[in-house]
């Protein structure tokens, strides 16, 4: 977990925020929509969408059903519906349902988000498939100011660990003008340009990335915090 205060702007006029929440789990999606309607945030720019994001053409995939129809299940992903053991496949699929899939770039186009508009914040937490979502959203990433994603021992982070997927992700983002850091509590450790051997290990953390072009002041503040962190 981490705490970070975004610098306030005195030059940018207030504007109406648009927030898109993408959730594949049916029970959680339904609960989010109900909450948005109850609070009337669905009339103030909050849109809830049910998709599983990946790097493939739009289709359907199996996704776990929530236990007892409740929302908020943690550590659940489409990978839980597939097994290399045939004896388990039928049982697993009894507890799964088809969910539409799409790429991030296609979804952004679908909702009609202005192509000239900078996306302020993009949060990705898809239980180990984060890099796949990013690869399917390169156009979106290029116009995003701040990205946060989860790194852990699930999904493609684990299955492709021999290929150093985190290094691949950080390198791809660097080519799009992002600098990435490990996120700590009021602390940051830079990954971009500071790759260390033990980063190849698979563990849980959040990675935060700032676009040096779209958010130069924030990039400077985060780099300053990194310098302060390693100086301690």
């Amino acid at each position: 977990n981490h705490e970070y205060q975004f610098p306030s702007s005195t030059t940018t006029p207030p504007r109406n925020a648009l927030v898109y929440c993408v959730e594949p789990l049916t029970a959680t999606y339904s609960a989010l929509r109900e909450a948005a309607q109850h609070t009337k945030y669905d009339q103030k720019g909050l849109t809830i969408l049910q998709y599983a994001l990946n790097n493939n053409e739009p289709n359907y995939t199996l996704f776990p059903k929530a236990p007892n129809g409740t929302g908020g299940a943690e550590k659940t992903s489409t990978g839980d519906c597939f097994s290399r053991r045939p004896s388990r496949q039928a049982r697993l699929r009894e507890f799964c349902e088809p969910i539409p899939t799409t790429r991030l770039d296609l979804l952004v186009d679908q909702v009609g988000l202005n192509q000239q508009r900078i996306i302020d914040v993009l949060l990705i937490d898809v239980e180990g498939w984060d890099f796949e979502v990013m690869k399917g959203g390169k156009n979106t990433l290029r116009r995003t100011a701040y990205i946060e994603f989860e790194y852990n021992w699930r999904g493609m982070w684990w299955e492709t660990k021999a290929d150093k997927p985190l290094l691949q992700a950080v390198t791809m983002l660097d080519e799009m003008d992002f600098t990435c850091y490990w996120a700590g509590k009021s602390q940051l450790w830079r990954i971009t340009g500071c790759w260390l051997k033990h980063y190849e290990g698979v563990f849980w953390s959040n990675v935060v990335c700032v676009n040096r072009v779209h958010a130069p002041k924030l990039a400077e503040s985060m780099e300053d915090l990194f310098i302060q962190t390693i100086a301690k």
Side-chain angles (χ1 to χ4, degrees):
N1 296 323
H2 71 282
E3 297 175 355
Y4 190 82
Q5 296 296 321
F6 286 85
S8 60
S9 172
T10 57
T11 59
T12 303
R15 65 184 183 187
N16 295 327
L18 296 176
V19 178
Y20 295 91
C21 176
V22 184
E23 170 58 50
L25 191 67
T26 297
T28 305
Y29 163 74
S30 299
L32 288 170
R33 284 199 63 186
E34 183 178 348
Q37 292 167 358
H38 180 73
T39 59
K40 294 184 169 46
Y41 276 109
D42 62 331
Q43 302 173 23
K44 302 176 182 179
L46 174 60
T47 301
I48 313 296
L49 302 165
Q50 186 176 26
Y51 285 99
L53 296 177
N54 57 26
N55 189 30
N56 301 317
E57 291 300 314
N59 205 327
Y60 285 83
T61 189
L62 292 176
F63 202 89
K65 301 175 184 177
N68 301 318
T70 59
E74 179 66 22
K75 299 181 180 178
T76 300
S77 75
T78 184
D80 297 322
C81 291
F82 300 91
S83 172
R84 293 185 177 87
R85 295 167 55 186
S87 61
R88 294 189 61 202
Q89 288 181 4
R91 174 173 170 76
L92 282 172
R93 296 186 183 191
E94 289 179 8
F95 301 96
C96 299
E97 62 181 338
I99 297 297
T101 67
T102 191
R103 297 197 306 272
L104 178 58
D105 280 344
L106 294 177
L107 185 63
V108 169
D109 290 342
Q110 175 184 319
V111 300
L113 199 58
N114 188 328
Q115 292 294 323
Q116 303 303 314
R117 185 170 185 172
I118 297 300
I119 297 169
D120 296 299
V121 178
L122 175 62
L123 304 179
I124 306 172
D125 183 349
V126 288
E127 302 304 330
W129 303 90
D130 308 62
F131 192 21
E132 291 299 298
V133 172
M134 287 187 275
K135 287 189 286 188
K138 292 181 180 179
N139 292 334
T140 302
L141 299 183
R142 288 188 181 96
R143 59 191 184 103
T144 299
Y146 176 91
I147 300 171
E148 180 171 335
F149 62 90
E150 187 180 46
Y151 179 69
N152 57 26
W153 51 87
R154 294 176 60 84
M156 296 302 293
W157 294 131
W158 176 260
E159 294 177 14
T160 64
K161 61 179 180 177
D163 299 326
K164 304 177 185 178
L166 180 60
L167 179 58
Q168 291 184 43
V170 170
T171 299
M172 181 186 79
L173 289 167
D174 186 23
E175 294 170 351
M176 298 179 183
D177 299 314
F178 285 94
T179 301
C180 294
Y181 303 81
W182 297 115
K185 187 174 182 179
S186 299
Q187 298 179 91
L188 292 174
W189 294 266
R190 179 145 52 84
I191 306 172
T192 304
C194 296
W195 185 261
L196 299 175
K197 178 69 176 178
H198 61 264
Y199 291 171
E200 297 173 20
V202 182
F203 49 89
W204 180 89
S205 184
N206 283 329
V207 177
V208 294
C209 306
V210 59
N211 191 294
R212 302 181 292 269
V213 175
H214 298 319
K217 290 183 179 180
L218 178 58
E220 182 179 351
S221 296
M222 291 175 69
E223 184 66 11
D224 286 346
L225 182 55
F226 161 64
I227 297 300
Q228 294 171 29
T229 299
I230 63 175
K232 294 179 181 179

